[in-house]
Amino acid sequence: MTSQLHTVEKIGGTSMSNYEAVRDNIILGGRSKEELYQRIFVVSAYGGVTNELLEHKKTGEPGVYALFADAESDWAWGDDLTKLIKLLTDINGELFADPMLKQQADQFITDRIEGVRGCLIDLQRLCSYGQFQLEEHLLTVREMLAGIGEAHSAFNTALKLQQEGINARFVDLTGWRDSELLPLDEKLKQAFDAVDLTRELPIVTGYAQCKEGLMRTFDRGYSEMTFSRVAVITRAREAVIHKEYHLSSADPNIVGADKVVPLGRTNYDVADQLANLGMEAIHPRAGKGLRQNEIPLRVKNTFEPEHTGTLITGDYVSEKAQVEIIAGAKGVFAIEVFDQDMQGEPGSDRRILDVLSRFKVRFMSKDTNANTITHYVDTTLKHVKRVVKALEEAFPNAEINTRKVALVSAIGSDMKVPGILAGSVKSLAEAEISVLAIHQCMRQVDIQFVIDEDCYEKAITALHGALIEPHNHEYAIVAA
């Protein structure tokens, strides 16, 4: 498949909240008027807006969707929707000094929200009859609400750029009042057939309504899938993600900004490992399309536009075997099933996975021995309790224990370095950190340590100091 001249670029929510930085560093970036085009921008909702629409991503605090889904909340969701109108029109007030443009932006988002309100009232009334079950419609409700955030930010950005003399075009993929439901790829082909990339700058909603239902598979990662498929369908020469930080050798807030190094290059394998820990450079399923179509992915820092960022390709392997990044996850639950009856009995692991699947609990890692299987899961305490109850029924003779832990990983495209495991464990021991479990695959792209949650920051700092920082030249990163 021949690549075109254009790039497809995704702008994250925190970046979107700073319009001047987006305009000056990403849209304009020192380009001449002719150079502004041949780019497609896929945008997220403004920072924090999707939390208000659905639920808080980290704390679980209910937004409009969670209140609507909770039958006991009655009209609380309606009050939340009213607060949302004020939040979004306040954002408009900060963006548009021209009262006519602000009125246009306010009218657009108010019409959307009031349309959704009417739809939800009708659905609630319909489901008051026994023949209709609310649960059957909740995924559709979730998608409809999620689309409001991206429609708001994309419409505003296109309107503001048009006011500033750029021929921006609002491309609404949210399916608002669409007469037919198309598969995602077909919807994207139809949307971009009408766009002239040589003279138009498409500002595209990160949410796309489609037959497959993006949130069914990706939930909050839906904008990455939209971005990936737009790049594939339009045959982009490069896909770019603009974030509020560099993809660096560790979190600068933990290790110190003076000690971390932005990654110059890495591969999709490393990106998958990061996604598994919740620090997604890109969702693995979204990365798959880019990798298969040999579209390189670049991750850039919105606030440092002069930096070339991190280039991710399918075939990259570092010239020298080394650790590239130290990353991890806190708030992970270990669910340990110890049952001497499983010795020599195949199928125990499958039964545990069936329970996790039933409760839609994602596991990040696992370890096994003759009679014990432990899964490290990324979920809430409420879900852990449900899983444990189901496991107790499935394994009546088992001893089931749970514990809150942290995972810390050393990751690299090629880590075949003799003594790297010993050096890692030594650095943790010197920092007085007990290792609860260790995982390393034969492919040697990562080593994972399970530790007490309280030791998370200390472990990141210790491993980074031993494996990456420049004074340890054996593992130093040379940023390309």
Side-chain angles (χ1 to χ4, degrees), residues 61-340:
E61 186 181 342
V64 177
Y65 168 79
L67 291 171
F68 182 80
D70 178 8
E72 294 171 13
S73 72
D74 201 23
W75 183 246
W77 64 268
D79 295 336
D80 228 40
L81 215 46
T82 303
K83 285 182 204 162
L84 187 74
I85 293 177
K86 182 173 186 326
L87 171 72
L88 301 191
T89 52
D90 283 352
I91 291 172
N92 294 350
E94 290 170 19
L95 189 60
F96 297 105
D98 183 329
M100 293 296 287
L101 289 176
K102 181 181 184 310
Q103 185 184 0
Q104 197 177 337
D106 287 352
Q107 186 69 50
F108 172 81
I109 198 60
T110 303
D111 285 352
R112 287 282 169 112
I113 292 174
E114 291 304 339
V116 168
R117 189 198 302 273
C119 180
L120 295 185
I121 289 170
D122 289 345
L123 180 59
Q124 217 170 32
R125 187 183 299 126
L126 186 69
C127 293
S128 66
Y129 296 91
Q131 289 89 341
F132 300 93
Q133 299 302 311
L134 183 61
E135 288 73 21
E136 294 172 10
H137 304 283
L138 283 178
L139 189 61
T140 305
V141 169
R142 188 170 178 81
E143 298 219 358
M144 191 190 329
L145 285 166
I148 291 174
E150 271 81 11
H152 177 231
S153 62
F155 179 85
N156 281 2
T157 304
L159 185 63
K160 185 78 173 167
L161 290 172
Q162 287 162 5
Q163 178 212 5
E164 295 175 359
I166 295 168
N167 191 24
R169 175 172 179 155
F170 172 48
V171 178
D172 186 2
L173 301 176
T174 64
W176 187 250
R177 302 194 188 282
D178 278 3
S179 56
E180 58 179 338
L181 195 59
L182 298 170
L184 179 60
D185 287 2
E186 199 176 319
K187 186 182 187 101
L188 296 178
K189 279 177 192 157
Q190 197 176 87
F192 287 100
D193 274 350
V195 177
D196 181 355
L197 292 176
T198 63
R199 60 178 200 85
E200 291 181 300
L201 194 72
I203 310 296
V204 185
T205 58
Y207 168 73
Q209 188 199 33
C210 58
K211 203 171 255 184
E212 299 91 328
L214 284 186
M215 295 192 82
R216 184 176 289 112
T217 307
F218 301 99
D219 199 43
R220 296 283 285 266
Y222 56 81
S223 63
E224 288 178 0
M225 195 60 194
T226 304
F227 157 73
S228 168
R229 293 316 297 170
V230 169
V232 170
I233 293 301
T234 63
R235 307 202 307 277
R237 66 174 173 82
E238 187 173 274
V240 185
I241 295 179
H242 298 276
K243 289 184 174 283
E244 70 276 16
Y245 50 78
H246 285 296
L247 193 56
S248 299
S249 57
D251 184 342
N253 296 321
I254 295 175
V255 173
D258 57 325
K259 292 179 181 174
V260 300
V261 187
L263 271 67
R265 291 202 64 178
T266 192
N267 61 27
Y268 282 110
D269 194 349
V270 168
D272 288 348
Q273 309 309 322
L274 293 174
N276 183 52
L277 293 167
M279 300 181 43
E280 33 198 71
I282 187 165
H283 194 288
R285 290 275 293 276
K288 178 182 172 186
L290 299 177
R291 187 183 72 244
Q292 288 178 339
N293 289 274
E294 297 180 351
I295 298 172
L297 170 68
R298 193 178 295 276
V299 181
K300 294 195 69 175
N301 183 335
T302 301
F303 305 102
E304 284 188 41
E306 67 287 346
H307 197 288
T308 55
T310 304
L311 185 64
I312 301 172
T313 54
D315 57 358
Y316 174 77
V317 178
S318 60
E319 291 177 8
K320 178 183 171 188
Q322 62 191 3
V323 176
E324 295 173 13
I325 187 166
I326 306 295
K330 290 170 75 176
V332 176
F333 285 94
I335 303 176
E336 179 188 79
V337 179
F338 165 61
D339 186 353
Q340 290 184 296

